[in-house]
Amino acid sequence: MPVIVISNPKGGTGKSTTSLVLATTLARHGASVTAFDCDPNRHLVAWKDGPTQNKVEIVGHVDSSNIARMLKAEASRQQFVIADLEGTASLMVASAILAADLVIIPTQGSAMDASQARRAISFIDDQAAAVGPRPYRVLFTRTKPGFATRDERVIRETMAGSGIPIFKTDLAERAAYRSMFTFRQSLEEMDPAAVNGLDKALENADALAGEVVENLRINRQAA
Ligand SMILES: Nc1ncnc2c1ncn2[C@@H]1O[C@H](COP(=O)(O)OP(=O)(O)OP(=O)(O)O)[C@@H](O)[C@H]1O
Ligand SMILES: [Mg+2]
């Protein structure tokens, strides 16, 4: 089943947060999910060591010599495989992209972030030149719900104008997404009285997971 890789060579764009939100949301809906933690900070491994009962499986022991094989092997037994990649353009990132059915590029809505997202796309396109199309889609992260800054609007329009695919759903800025790492729980496990905006965070996570699944379906049909 599909391998979804979360990649951006720029640090701090929301790769680990997106990976955990997506993986735990798909698992909450009953899917079998493995998330590979390829971030040197091992945030997902640390999260799984906490009290969470979410069924997502986390794999932390991968390197550039085995990542493609590990992703493919896991994809033969799980409904979704997700890889949280490191914030550099490394051999491991390249191998994971080659094994991916979809690359999600999280980016924040500033010009500097957008230029790094283009670097990520150029890295993907270069591999596509050798092996054929590698489907990717940009995900805006940490956006203010219901309020797009002018910068953000211009960046989105420019990207869309140059044919870069963008998720309709953003991963909005929500304290709940940070709290997942603090309490080492998934969204549905946290106390709505203790975590601000948990219902909105769940709604946003569901919308994103739905759009990712739909995107994979369309790509599969087109292939
Ligand atoms: N949607 C969000 N809402 C609130 N905080 C967020 C969100 N996305 C990311 N953050 C915060 O932004 C910071 C960077 O996020 P994250 O660690 O997910 O990025 P990353 O791309 O994995 O970074 P790295 O390149 O270092 O691996 C973290 O402090 C995280 O809690
Ligand atoms: Mg990370």
Side-chain angles (χ1 to χ4, degrees), residues 11-17 39 87 142 171-174 177-178:
T13 63
K15 295 179 287 294
S16 297
T17 306
D39 177 336
R142 306 196 68 176
L171 192 70
E173 171 84 23
R174 292 273 174 207
Y177 299 140
R178 282 193 296 273

Side-chain angles (χ1 to χ4, degrees), residues 124 127-134:
I124 296 167
Q127 291 169 76
V131 297
R134 303 281 83 209

Side-chain angles (χ1 to χ4, degrees), residues 67-130:
I67 184 158
R69 278 175 289 174
M70 298 268 290
L71 290 171
K72 289 294 190 192
E74 206 59 15
S76 68
R77 78 175 192 99
Q78 295 287 70
Q79 284 173 292
F80 294 95
V81 174
I82 293 172
D84 173 22
L85 297 186
E86 57 190 340
T88 52
S90 63
L91 178 58
M92 179 149 75
V93 171
S95 297
I97 288 170
L98 288 174
D101 295 286
L102 174 64
V103 182
I104 298 179
I105 306 168
T107 186
Q108 295 177 35
S110 77
M112 280 185 286
D113 285 280
S115 76
Q116 292 291 328
R118 283 176 185 272
R119 238 187 91 210
I121 292 167
S122 164
F123 193 71
I124 296 167
D125 281 343
D126 203 52
Q127 291 169 76

Side-chain angles (χ1 to χ4, degrees), residues 3-202:
V3 173
I4 305 162
V5 159
I6 320 289
S7 181
N8 189 330
K10 183 176 190 304
T13 63
K15 295 179 287 294
S16 297
T17 306
T18 301
S19 300
L20 188 61
V21 168
L22 192 57
T24 52
T25 301
L26 291 166
R28 168 161 57 85
H29 286 286
S32 57
V33 185
T34 296
F36 282 79
D37 187 348
C38 312
D39 177 336
N41 293 310
R42 294 287 184 265
H43 292 300
L44 304 191
V45 170
W47 175 85
K48 190 66 177 176
D49 281 342
T52 185
Q53 299 291 312
N54 186 287
K55 295 255 186 301
V56 63
E57 294 176 33
I58 307 286
V59 176
H61 307 289
V62 270
D63 59 44
S64 56
S65 71
N66 62 15
I67 184 158
R69 278 175 289 174
M70 298 268 290
L71 290 171
K72 289 294 190 192
E74 206 59 15
S76 68
R77 78 175 192 99
Q78 295 287 70
Q79 284 173 292
F80 294 95
V81 174
I82 293 172
D84 173 22
L85 297 186
E86 57 190 340
T88 52
S90 63
L91 178 58
M92 179 149 75
V93 171
S95 297
I97 288 170
L98 288 174
D101 295 286
L102 174 64
V103 182
I104 298 179
I105 306 168
T107 186
Q108 295 177 35
S110 77
M112 280 185 286
D113 285 280
S115 76
Q116 292 291 328
R118 283 176 185 272
R119 238 187 91 210
I121 292 167
S122 164
F123 193 71
I124 296 167
D125 281 343
D126 203 52
Q127 291 169 76
V131 297
R134 303 281 83 209
Y136 65 82
R137 194 159 282 260
V138 168
L139 170 70
F140 280 89
T141 59
R142 306 196 68 176
T143 54
K144 304 273 172 292
F147 178 80
T149 63
R150 236 180 102 205
D151 272 0
E152 219 177 280
R153 279 204 305 273
V154 170
I155 288 161
R156 257 181 237 263
E157 281 160 19
T158 312
M159 274 193 183
S162 47
I164 295 173
I166 304 170
F167 282 104
K168 287 198 290 285
T169 313
D170 295 350
L171 192 70
E173 171 84 23
R174 292 273 174 207
Y177 299 140
R178 282 193 296 273
S179 296
M180 292 176 79
F181 290 93
T182 310
F183 300 113
R184 296 190 288 172
Q185 290 177 312
S186 49
L187 293 169
E188 74 280 8
E189 295 174 305
M190 294 192 291
D191 177 3
V195 179
N196 263 346
L198 192 53
D199 52 341
K200 297 279 185 215
L202 278 158

